[in-house]
Amino acid sequence: MIKAGIIGATGYAGGELVRILLGHKDVEIAWMASKSYAGQKYSSIYENVYQLIDLDCIADDLPELAKTTDVIFTATPQGYLGSILTEDILKECKVIDLSADYRITDVEVYEQWYGIKHGSPELIKQAAYGLPEIHREEIKGKQLIANPGCYPTCSTLSIYPAVKAGIIDPNTIIIDAKSGTSGAGRGAKTQNLYCEVNENMKAYGVATHRHTPEIEEQLSRAAGEPVMINFTPHLAPMNRGILATSYAKLTAKVTKEEIRKVYEDCYKDEYFVRVLPEGHCPQTRWVEGSNFVDVNFELDTRTGRLIMMGAMDNLVKGAAGQAVQNMNILFDLPENEGLKFVPVFP
Amino acid sequence: MIKAGIIGATGYAGGELVRILLGHKDVEIAWMASKSYAGQKYSSIYENVYQLIDLDCIADDLPELAKTTDVIFTATPQGYLGSILTEDILKECKVIDLSADYRITDVEVYEQWYGIKHGSPELIKQAAYGLPEIHREEIKGKQLIANPGCYPTCSTLSIYPAVKAGIIDPNTIIIDAKSGTSGAGRGAKTQNLYCEVNENMKAYGVATHRHTPEIEEQLSRAAGEPVMINFTPHLAPMNRGILATSYAKLTAKVTKEEIRKVYEDCYKDEYFVRVLPEGHCPQTRWVEGSNFVDVNFELDTRTGRLIMMGAMDNLVKGAAGQAVQNMNILFDLPENEGLKFVPVFP
Amino acid sequence: MIKAGIIGATGYAGGELVRILLGHKDVEIAWMASKSYAGQKYSSIYENVYQLIDLDCIADDLPELAKTTDVIFTATPQGYLGSILTEDILKECKVIDLSADYRITDVEVYEQWYGIKHGSPELIKQAAYGLPEIHREEIKGKQLIANPGCYPTCSTLSIYPAVKAGIIDPNTIIIDAKSGTSGAGRGAKTQNLYCEVNENMKAYGVATHRHTPEIEEQLSRAAGEPVMINFTPHLAPMNRGILATSYAKLTAKVTKEEIRKVYEDCYKDEYFVRVLPEGHCPQTRWVEGSNFVDVNFELDTRTGRLIMMGAMDNLVKGAAGQAVQNMNILFDLPENEGLKFVPVFP
Amino acid sequence: MIKAGIIGATGYAGGELVRILLGHKDVEIAWMASKSYAGQKYSSIYENVYQLIDLDCIADDLPELAKTTDVIFTATPQGYLGSILTEDILKECKVIDLSADYRITDVEVYEQWYGIKHGSPELIKQAAYGLPEIHREEIKGKQLIANPGCYPTCSTLSIYPAVKAGIIDPNTIIIDAKSGTSGAGRGAKTQNLYCEVNENMKAYGVATHRHTPEIEEQLSRAAGEPVMINFTPHLAPMNRGILATSYAKLTAKVTKEEIRKVYEDCYKDEYFVRVLPEGHCPQTRWVEGSNFVDVNFELDTRTGRLIMMGAMDNLVKGAAGQAVQNMNILFDLPENEGLKFVPVFP
């Protein structure tokens, strides 16, 4: 049994890690740490696991906990893990970080977009960017995984094949993404109250959202050249789900069938990426609760643009599910072990 | 492997059966029948199972299908199974009926409340009422299971211990229940459109809802005398979940602790019924997607009434999950096999 | 022009007062006070009134403000107005209090249920309980109005005719009420976040909710004897709306038609109470945004109980709308002036 | 009093016309026609107007009705009015058409995108496109108004100033729009059921939506040259509201302040268009129930793109409210008469 610990277990991503790991036959949750709720019974906060787990939340003494744990998931605020992680800790156990601290290889870019001084820039190069469908080989054997952001996962996976194949001009990419409200976290903020979110749609972080450089780094790697994009997130009145609709200019005349082959070839061996049949637009309802990403595209021959779409559950493939997928890779388990959830509908 | 078939596979309960059975290690879905969608690929209707199941919907030739199937789930309109089921079919395979046709032992009561002439009243006595927490022994070995209604499951399980123990007067019971909209089915009706249900609460079927006699029969059995109740269902703007709040007069002075003992003793060996700690009201969010029923009570010493509460997922414990629980009993499997879903929150 | 001020203008009831008063031809909003947002432009907090009102929030110096204001609406936490209101202030201007401080005539009952020491119990008898449909004559000419609670307004208006006519036993009354989340206020609490409320139903304050004694006082006055009831509120995933479903034993055999006459006679001159046609259950969607209360009933001859139902908008008839209705009475305006909103659907 | 009639009164736009006209002091609703509900009392279908209007739905004999009516609103399916409207009818009364039949000046474009043979192409040139903020002078004195589509209204008003001022390249415009579900109409379709829409985001009509040529015509007129755009609508789980997020390349270096001046100058005399303060993104919650359109923009200096945003209520400014605004112009009333609704929040 893999002994796993979770720091930040009482946020929504932390809660989802508990849900998933409880059903993973090779994992035992050894402890759950939470700044806000230390000392309280976990199942009194997340009553969905009442009678399923009987642990109290503990304080997060990372160096000490690392000694008795095989893998630690950190679902913590940006900058926190960066400020406390050390080489010594990484010698003791594997760390899968759900924050942004090790996702961006250029620390200056990180510090500029996040407005945070990175506490351990020397560790960035030890981390693998944990998007298995693209970087599977780099992930294997690592001690530190930078688990991708929710928007970057959905955006990158739906655009990547077209960029890789060179059929779109990467500098014309515009990503318009819509997220459920669990992405905003469990902090008690007025703007996230039910009555503020319900019956509302809004853009936020326009031209300044922190996931922009993360997406740009991934698409630049795919394009083999620096890429600059527009990324605009929106908050939608639903609990879960991200839908990314992306636009780009075609580089040359190409048929629907050719593009379809590009996508299908790219993902033909991937369990978690489903290229939908022609004419079926991805919808968040079809992936809720699961680790699937549904992708598809439309070709607009009038304007010469490709419209690329992706739908996934922000808490699963966009956070906890992908973290467990990375854990499976690190521990040589089947990649979908404990992740074969059928999407819950309705 | 148990070969299972589903009639009515494209309704919400049918879709939930598919979701659950796909994750059941001892079951293979042999076929799915649907009147409305026969000939169409199932995963084009329920895209959540795209790439997970590749069957087309077929027509429902029950006698023929029964010959090659171990268990058939019928998620069909009231009266339909009653009109086509025969002893011969039941000799071929087991049938778990999610409709109301075999739930009520007195066929006259059934015909009066449902306004339907029962087509096979002689089979009613062969059926067991599939509420395992109360009738487990009767279920074993049966060929025909009357899977309980959603409201009756939630109402009965939250009231039963108090009636059984004689601490409330059963003829003062008032059940006020609130259901998510999946309970209204997938038929294209104006009243179930998004804009009609969203931002709305309403009662319906007041004093006439068909689940009333089903609940009364169960509570009468528990009380050992005929019981008449008020049952009022409400439609709530959510996909899943039933919350039942029930009221009754105490028969004698009794303490909170004594009542708690009654509930805990009653359900101490039950995996799927969770008696919550004192002061925690059941909430549908804590059971969504799972087969759990959360129950609890409050004592109002001012008015001498007991308030009993239950929360569950109407599509799981209220339909498909309970059906699979019954199947597990019929096939001598662990009762929670394939049903150990952790509730999905948020 | 009536010069009106609002204390607590940035809560949901305060925001609704602003919305309603902006459309009232005889009223000018002179100032808006807010503890949390003093010094900020009101329309930066409630952007719905951007370009419609240009005031900043001010601090709430009640004695000083009273000198230059005709009527002050207080949408403040329980106990606050009680602690600062004086006879001198009431000589300067009229006060319509949306909190509970002057609703209950017996200060001991108030202090016991609210757990608050009342700061000005001597003023309680000067206040009229502002439910115009029942206490119109008492309201006229008063300086202090205790604007009713949301649940009490909906519950009382839907039960009152039956109690007054003596056709139900008031001590058997059970009120099961469901409220939209705006009733929980705009405070930043985890339990009121979108993801906690969405897809959830729960009861709260079972057997202890503070609106219980307020309802009991009103029903006792109607019955002419002390009445004790059960009142159970529930939180529903919607912004606005209260639905109250109430149950009581009939005192004698009575026909549907007789009961209908009781309700229609009681409300035949009331603009804001609509007795629905037979068979139409009140629904919150039909009153949203308006000052209407829709009421109706069903007779259960099997159990000898009457089921009484009421639906209204908790922020309008349950708070700000009723406050303006009271203001109209105090200033000899037509009672529905500025309140003839057609309900907004969908 | 203006005698008004409504054809298609039982759809959502029709219902909203009734709500608005009931509060318009210069209008009397003379009749309401509905194919589906002819002969039924209108308030039994839209119970929000119970006791406010007592008419039955009638059949829609347009030529006859025109003789006794001053203005007819047609909220009918695409192609219907085109097939029955005549010059003679237009001599009798004014017609404000909420369908698309007279919005597009080139009938071939209409027929191609709508797949409908236009029944009265000769009348198209008699119609004015009823977007008062841009075409006010053309509207005055007309007998036939083509009331704009919901998406075109929101998209055009948020992009128009930038195109008109020449600061963006109109052929790089990409519009990503999100709409509440009332935009999908009141027809009983499975895909619009509560459980299908709730907790879901999806794009639809990608590269083929019929509002595309309507927007292109308006932007072409503003640009003075033919414009081709990408327009992608999405369905969001809410009743009302459209949010349009649009992207375009800047034609030259321009500052935020210069762009702000362009927008403010353009709309400085418009009551219904609110240019929000810097940094405030339009949100549908701030316009719900009102005729306002909130617009704003962000400048992305990194990518050289302008992001333009608009939010409005699809049933008001996107349909019934704008129709009444046009009526006010046609009858020389103040343009905001009967339309000064304060947005309803929450």
Side-chain angles (χ1 to χ4, degrees):
Chain A
M1 291 295 268
I2 301 164
K3 292 185 71 171
I6 303 166
I7 298 183
T10 53
Y12 289 136
E16 191 70 356
L17 276 166
V18 172
R19 174 175 86 92
I20 294 173
L21 293 176
L22 276 175
H24 196 299
K25 70 179 179 51
D26 302 308
V27 177
E28 172 204 1
I29 299 178
W31 49 264
M32 296 179 288
S34 165
K35 265 204 162 34
S36 325
Y37 297 95
Q40 292 184 44
K41 193 168 282 296
Y42 186 81
S43 68
S44 73
I45 301 155
Y46 278 77
E47 296 187 33
N48 56 329
V49 295
Y50 181 62
Q51 294 188 352
L52 301 180
I53 193 161
D54 197 35
L55 297 173
D56 289 355
C57 295
I58 60 169
D60 58 341
D61 182 350
L62 185 56
E64 205 53 40
L65 288 165
K67 292 178 189 163
T68 60
T69 314
D70 297 313
V71 60
I72 294 176
F73 296 91
T74 51
T76 43
Q78 318 305 341
Y80 180 71
L81 186 66
S83 72
I84 59 167
L85 190 64
T86 63
E87 295 243 16
D88 285 351
I89 291 168
L90 290 176
K91 280 177 193 149
E92 300 279 5
C93 83
K94 293 179 187 290
V95 174
I96 298 174
D97 179 27
L98 282 75
S99 87
D101 290 0
Y102 302 97
R103 291 179 195 157
I104 294 172
T105 49
D106 184 339
V107 71
E108 282 182 32
V109 171
Y110 170 89
E111 293 185 341
Q112 178 190 336
W113 284 80
Y114 282 83
I116 294 170
K117 181 79 189 157
H118 201 297
S120 52
E122 72 285 358
L123 298 179
I124 295 175
K125 61 181 179 304
Q126 297 196 21
Y129 186 77
L131 193 54
E133 287 77 9
I134 299 182
H135 304 296
R136 185 169 287 115
E137 294 311 310
E138 295 173 41
I139 293 164
K140 291 178 183 170
K142 284 287 191 309
Q143 287 297 96
L144 175 59
I145 300 295
N147 206 60
C150 51
Y151 287 123
T153 296
C154 193
S155 304
T156 303
L157 289 174
S158 51
I159 298 172
Y160 174 82
V163 169
K164 191 75 187 174
I167 58 180
I168 56 172
D169 174 355
N171 283 301
T172 64
I173 293 171
I174 288 168
I175 304 170
D176 189 289
K178 300 88 183 164
S179 174
T181 303
S182 58
R186 212 189 184 207
K189 294 179 187 165
T190 300
Q191 68 191 23
N192 294 334
L193 290 176
Y194 183 83
C195 289
E196 310 290 315
V197 171
N198 189 34
E199 288 294 297
N200 192 37
M201 285 289 305
K202 67 171 178 185
Y204 65 99
V206 182
T208 61
H209 193 277
R210 294 160 163 196
H211 283 170
T212 309
E214 183 180 340
I215 300 169
E216 287 182 345
E217 178 168 340
Q218 294 304 312
L219 295 182
S220 297
R221 288 176 66 172
E225 55 165 335
V227 167
M228 228 162 36
I229 62 158
N230 267 97
F231 168 67
T232 309
H234 297 74
L235 197 68
M238 54 189 195
N239 282 353
R240 290 171 178 244
I242 281 182
L243 182 74
T245 313
S246 303
Y247 307 84
K249 269 283 180 193
L250 294 164
T251 50
K253 224 177 159 73
V254 62
T255 66
K256 261 193 171 181
E257 292 66 33
E258 289 164 333
I259 306 173
R260 182 153 300 280
K261 191 169 176 341
V262 163
Y263 273 78
E264 287 180 347
D265 285 355
C266 184
Y267 293 128
K268 65 178 185 299
D269 298 325
E270 297 299 335
Y271 181 84
F272 291 122
V273 183
R274 306 191 293 193
V275 181
L276 297 186
E278 192 186 328
H280 288 237
C281 291
Q283 304 189 29
T284 63
R285 63 174 161 157
W286 300 127
V287 294
E288 192 166 323
S290 84
N291 203 48
F292 291 111
V293 187
D294 285 358
V295 301
N296 212 345
F297 64 88
E298 283 290 341
L299 178 61
D300 188 348
T301 50
R302 284 193 336 126
T303 61
R305 291 201 188 92
L306 188 65
I307 299 107
M308 298 154 283
M309 294 166 280
M312 62 165 215
D313 185 320
N314 58 305
L315 290 181
V316 189
K317 184 63 177 170
Q322 185 146 268
V324 173
Q325 188 182 354
N326 280 312
M327 182 201 75
N328 286 339
I329 296 173
L330 296 184
F331 289 86
D332 286 325
L333 299 168
E335 200 168 309
N336 61 9
E337 187 64 56
L339 290 170
K340 281 174 281 190
F341 302 109
V342 180
V344 179
F345 170 80
Chain B
M1 291 295 268
I2 301 165
K3 292 185 73 172
I6 302 167
I7 299 183
T10 53
Y12 289 136
E16 191 70 356
L17 275 166
V18 173
R19 175 176 85 92
I20 293 173
L21 293 176
L22 275 175
H24 195 299
K25 70 178 179 51
D26 301 310
V27 176
E28 172 204 359
I29 299 178
W31 48 265
M32 296 179 289
S34 164
K35 265 207 163 31
S36 325
Y37 297 97
Q40 293 185 43
K41 194 170 279 298
Y42 187 80
S43 68
S44 74
I45 301 154
Y46 278 77
E47 296 187 34
N48 57 328
V49 295
Y50 182 60
Q51 293 187 353
L52 300 180
I53 192 161
D54 198 34
L55 298 173
D56 289 356
C57 296
I58 60 170
D60 57 341
D61 182 350
L62 184 56
E64 206 52 43
L65 289 165
K67 293 178 187 163
T68 60
T69 313
D70 297 312
V71 61
I72 294 177
F73 296 91
T74 50
T76 43
Q78 318 306 339
Y80 180 71
L81 186 64
S83 71
I84 59 168
L85 190 63
T86 63
E87 296 243 18
D88 285 350
I89 290 168
L90 289 176
K91 281 176 194 152
E92 299 280 4
C93 82
K94 294 179 186 290
V95 174
I96 298 173
D97 178 27
L98 283 75
S99 87
D101 289 1
Y102 303 97
R103 290 179 195 156
I104 294 173
T105 48
D106 183 338
V107 72
E108 282 182 33
V109 172
Y110 170 90
E111 294 185 342
Q112 178 189 337
W113 284 81
Y114 283 83
I116 294 171
K117 181 81 188 156
H118 201 298
S120 51
E122 72 284 0
L123 297 179
I124 294 175
K125 62 180 178 303
Q126 298 196 20
Y129 187 75
L131 192 54
E133 288 77 9
I134 299 182
H135 304 297
R136 187 169 287 116
E137 293 311 311
E138 296 174 39
I139 294 164
K140 291 179 183 169
K142 284 286 191 310
Q143 286 299 95
L144 175 58
I145 301 295
N147 207 58
C150 51
Y151 287 122
T153 296
C154 194
S155 304
T156 304
L157 289 174
S158 50
I159 298 171
Y160 174 81
V163 169
K164 191 76 186 172
I167 58 180
I168 55 172
D169 173 356
N171 283 301
T172 65
I173 293 172
I174 288 168
I175 303 172
D176 189 289
K178 300 90 184 166
S179 173
T181 303
S182 58
R186 212 189 184 207
K189 295 182 186 162
T190 300
Q191 68 192 24
N192 294 333
L193 291 175
Y194 183 82
C195 290
E196 310 290 315
V197 171
N198 190 34
E199 290 293 297
N200 192 37
M201 285 290 304
K202 67 171 176 185
Y204 65 99
V206 182
T208 62
H209 194 278
R210 294 160 163 197
H211 283 171
T212 308
E214 183 180 341
I215 300 169
E216 287 182 344
E217 176 167 341
Q218 293 304 312
L219 296 182
S220 296
R221 288 176 66 173
E225 54 165 335
V227 166
M228 228 163 34
I229 61 157
N230 267 97
F231 168 67
T232 310
H234 296 75
L235 197 69
M238 55 188 196
N239 282 353
R240 289 170 179 244
I242 282 183
L243 182 72
T245 313
S246 304
Y247 306 85
K249 269 282 180 191
L250 294 165
T251 49
K253 222 176 161 74
V254 62
T255 66
K256 261 192 170 180
E257 293 66 34
E258 289 164 334
I259 306 173
R260 182 152 301 280
K261 191 165 175 346
V262 163
Y263 272 78
E264 289 182 345
D265 285 356
C266 183
Y267 293 129
K268 66 177 186 298
D269 297 326
E270 296 300 334
Y271 181 83
F272 291 124
V273 183
R274 306 191 293 194
V275 181
L276 298 186
E278 192 186 329
H280 288 237
C281 290
Q283 304 189 29
T284 64
R285 62 174 162 156
W286 300 126
V287 294
E288 191 166 324
S290 83
N291 204 47
F292 291 111
V293 187
D294 286 357
V295 301
N296 212 345
F297 65 88
E298 283 290 341
L299 177 61
D300 189 348
T301 50
R302 283 192 340 125
T303 61
R305 292 200 189 93
L306 187 66
I307 299 108
M308 298 155 283
M309 295 168 280
M312 62 164 215
D313 186 320
N314 58 305
L315 291 180
V316 190
K317 184 62 177 170
Q322 185 145 270
V324 173
Q325 187 181 354
N326 280 312
M327 182 200 76
N328 287 338
I329 295 173
L330 296 182
F331 289 85
D332 286 325
L333 299 169
E335 199 168 311
N336 62 8
E337 187 63 56
L339 289 171
K340 280 174 279 188
F341 302 110
V342 179
V344 179
F345 170 80
Chain C
M1 292 295 268
I2 300 165
K3 294 186 69 171
I6 302 166
I7 299 183
T10 54
Y12 288 136
E16 191 70 356
L17 276 166
V18 172
R19 174 175 86 91
I20 293 174
L21 293 177
L22 276 175
H24 195 299
K25 70 178 179 50
D26 301 310
V27 176
E28 173 203 0
I29 299 178
W31 49 265
M32 297 179 288
S34 165
K35 265 205 163 33
S36 324
Y37 296 96
Q40 292 185 43
K41 194 170 279 297
Y42 187 81
S43 67
S44 73
I45 300 153
Y46 278 77
E47 296 188 33
N48 56 328
V49 294
Y50 181 62
Q51 294 187 354
L52 300 180
I53 192 160
D54 197 35
L55 298 172
D56 289 357
C57 295
I58 60 170
D60 57 343
D61 182 350
L62 184 57
E64 205 52 43
L65 288 166
K67 292 176 189 164
T68 60
T69 314
D70 297 313
V71 60
I72 294 177
F73 296 91
T74 50
T76 43
Q78 318 306 340
Y80 180 71
L81 185 65
S83 72
I84 60 167
L85 189 64
T86 63
E87 296 242 19
D88 285 350
I89 291 167
L90 289 177
K91 281 176 193 153
E92 300 279 5
C93 82
K94 294 177 186 292
V95 174
I96 298 172
D97 179 28
L98 282 76
S99 87
D101 290 1
Y102 302 97
R103 291 179 196 156
I104 294 172
T105 48
D106 183 339
V107 71
E108 281 182 34
V109 172
Y110 171 89
E111 294 185 341
Q112 177 189 336
W113 284 82
Y114 283 83
I116 293 171
K117 180 79 187 157
H118 201 298
S120 51
E122 71 286 0
L123 297 179
I124 295 175
K125 63 181 178 303
Q126 299 196 18
Y129 187 75
L131 193 54
E133 287 78 9
I134 299 182
H135 304 297
R136 186 169 287 117
E137 294 310 310
E138 296 174 39
I139 294 164
K140 291 179 183 169
K142 283 287 191 309
Q143 286 299 96
L144 175 59
I145 301 295
N147 207 60
C150 51
Y151 287 123
T153 296
C154 194
S155 304
T156 303
L157 289 174
S158 51
I159 298 172
Y160 173 82
V163 169
K164 191 75 185 173
I167 58 181
I168 56 171
D169 173 355
N171 282 301
T172 64
I173 294 172
I174 288 170
I175 303 170
D176 189 290
K178 302 88 183 166
S179 173
T181 303
S182 59
R186 213 189 183 207
K189 294 180 187 164
T190 300
Q191 68 191 23
N192 294 334
L193 290 176
Y194 183 83
C195 290
E196 310 289 316
V197 171
N198 190 34
E199 290 293 297
N200 192 37
M201 284 290 305
K202 67 171 177 185
Y204 65 99
V206 182
T208 61
H209 194 276
R210 295 161 163 196
H211 282 171
T212 309
E214 183 180 340
I215 300 169
E216 288 181 344
E217 177 168 341
Q218 294 304 312
L219 296 182
S220 297
R221 288 176 66 173
E225 55 165 334
V227 166
M228 229 163 34
I229 61 158
N230 266 97
F231 168 67
T232 311
H234 296 75
L235 197 68
M238 54 188 194
N239 283 352
R240 290 171 178 243
I242 281 182
L243 183 72
T245 313
S246 303
Y247 307 84
K249 269 282 181 193
L250 293 164
T251 48
K253 221 175 161 75
V254 62
T255 66
K256 260 194 171 179
E257 292 66 34
E258 288 164 333
I259 306 174
R260 182 153 301 279
K261 190 166 174 348
V262 162
Y263 272 78
E264 288 181 347
D265 285 355
C266 184
Y267 293 128
K268 66 177 185 297
D269 297 325
E270 296 299 334
Y271 182 84
F272 292 123
V273 183
R274 305 191 294 193
V275 181
L276 298 185
E278 192 186 329
H280 289 238
C281 290
Q283 305 189 28
T284 64
R285 62 174 161 154
W286 300 127
V287 293
E288 191 166 324
S290 83
N291 203 49
F292 291 111
V293 187
D294 285 358
V295 301
N296 212 345
F297 65 88
E298 284 290 342
L299 177 61
D300 190 347
T301 50
R302 284 193 337 126
T303 60
R305 291 201 188 93
L306 187 66
I307 299 109
M308 297 155 283
M309 296 168 278
M312 61 164 215
D313 185 320
N314 59 305
L315 290 180
V316 190
K317 184 63 178 170
Q322 185 145 271
V324 172
Q325 187 181 354
N326 280 312
M327 183 201 75
N328 286 340
I329 295 174
L330 296 183
F331 289 86
D332 286 325
L333 299 169
E335 199 168 311
N336 62 8
E337 187 62 56
L339 289 171
K340 282 173 278 188
F341 303 110
V342 179
V344 179
F345 170 79
Chain D
M1 291 295 268
I2 300 165
K3 292 185 73 172
I6 303 166
I7 299 183
T10 53
Y12 289 135
E16 191 70 355
L17 276 166
V18 172
R19 174 176 85 93
I20 294 174
L21 293 176
L22 275 176
H24 195 298
K25 70 179 178 51
D26 301 310
V27 177
E28 172 203 0
I29 300 178
W31 48 265
M32 298 179 288
S34 165
K35 265 205 164 32
S36 326
Y37 298 95
Q40 292 185 42
K41 193 169 279 298
Y42 187 80
S43 68
S44 73
I45 301 154
Y46 278 77
E47 296 188 31
N48 56 328
V49 295
Y50 180 62
Q51 295 187 351
L52 301 180
I53 193 161
D54 197 35
L55 298 172
D56 288 356
C57 295
I58 60 170
D60 58 341
D61 182 349
L62 185 55
E64 206 51 41
L65 289 165
K67 292 176 190 164
T68 59
T69 313
D70 298 311
V71 60
I72 294 176
F73 296 91
T74 51
T76 43
Q78 319 305 340
Y80 180 71
L81 185 64
S83 72
I84 60 167
L85 190 63
T86 63
E87 295 243 17
D88 285 349
I89 291 169
L90 289 176
K91 280 177 194 149
E92 301 279 5
C93 82
K94 295 179 186 289
V95 174
I96 298 174
D97 178 26
L98 282 74
S99 87
D101 289 1
Y102 301 97
R103 290 180 195 156
I104 294 173
T105 49
D106 184 339
V107 70
E108 282 182 33
V109 172
Y110 170 90
E111 293 185 342
Q112 179 190 335
W113 284 80
Y114 283 83
I116 295 171
K117 181 80 187 156
H118 200 297
S120 52
E122 71 285 358
L123 297 179
I124 295 176
K125 63 181 178 303
Q126 297 196 20
Y129 186 77
L131 193 54
E133 287 77 10
I134 299 182
H135 303 298
R136 186 169 288 117
E137 293 310 311
E138 296 173 40
I139 294 163
K140 291 179 183 170
K142 284 286 191 308
Q143 286 299 95
L144 175 58
I145 301 295
N147 207 59
C150 52
Y151 288 123
T153 296
C154 194
S155 304
T156 304
L157 289 175
S158 51
I159 298 171
Y160 175 81
V163 170
K164 190 76 186 172
I167 58 180
I168 55 171
D169 174 356
N171 283 300
T172 64
I173 293 172
I174 288 167
I175 303 171
D176 189 289
K178 301 91 184 163
S179 174
T181 303
S182 58
R186 212 187 184 210
K189 295 180 186 164
T190 300
Q191 67 192 22
N192 294 335
L193 290 176
Y194 183 83
C195 289
E196 310 290 315
V197 171
N198 190 34
E199 289 294 298
N200 191 38
M201 285 290 306
K202 67 170 177 185
Y204 65 99
V206 183
T208 62
H209 193 277
R210 295 161 162 195
H211 283 171
T212 309
E214 183 180 340
I215 301 169
E216 288 182 344
E217 177 167 339
Q218 294 304 312
L219 295 181
S220 296
R221 288 175 66 172
E225 54 164 336
V227 167
M228 230 163 33
I229 62 158
N230 267 97
F231 168 67
T232 311
H234 296 75
L235 197 69
M238 53 190 195
N239 282 353
R240 290 172 177 242
I242 281 183
L243 183 72
T245 312
S246 304
Y247 307 84
K249 268 283 180 191
L250 293 164
T251 49
K253 222 177 161 72
V254 61
T255 66
K256 260 193 171 180
E257 292 68 32
E258 289 164 333
I259 306 172
R260 183 153 301 279
K261 192 168 174 343
V262 163
Y263 272 78
E264 288 181 346
D265 286 355
C266 183
Y267 293 128
K268 66 177 184 298
D269 298 325
E270 296 300 335
Y271 182 83
F272 291 124
V273 183
R274 305 190 294 193
V275 181
L276 297 186
E278 192 185 329
H280 288 238
C281 290
Q283 303 188 29
T284 64
R285 63 173 161 157
W286 299 127
V287 294
E288 191 167 325
S290 83
N291 203 47
F292 292 110
V293 187
D294 285 357
V295 301
N296 212 345
F297 64 87
E298 283 290 340
L299 178 61
D300 189 348
T301 50
R302 283 190 341 124
T303 61
R305 291 202 190 92
L306 188 66
I307 300 107
M308 297 154 285
M309 295 167 279
M312 63 165 213
D313 185 319
N314 59 305
L315 290 181
V316 190
K317 184 64 177 170
Q322 185 146 267
V324 173
Q325 188 182 354
N326 280 312
M327 183 201 74
N328 286 338
I329 295 174
L330 296 183
F331 289 86
D332 287 324
L333 299 169
E335 200 168 310
N336 61 9
E337 188 62 57
L339 290 170
K340 282 174 278 190
F341 302 109
V342 179
V344 179
F345 170 80

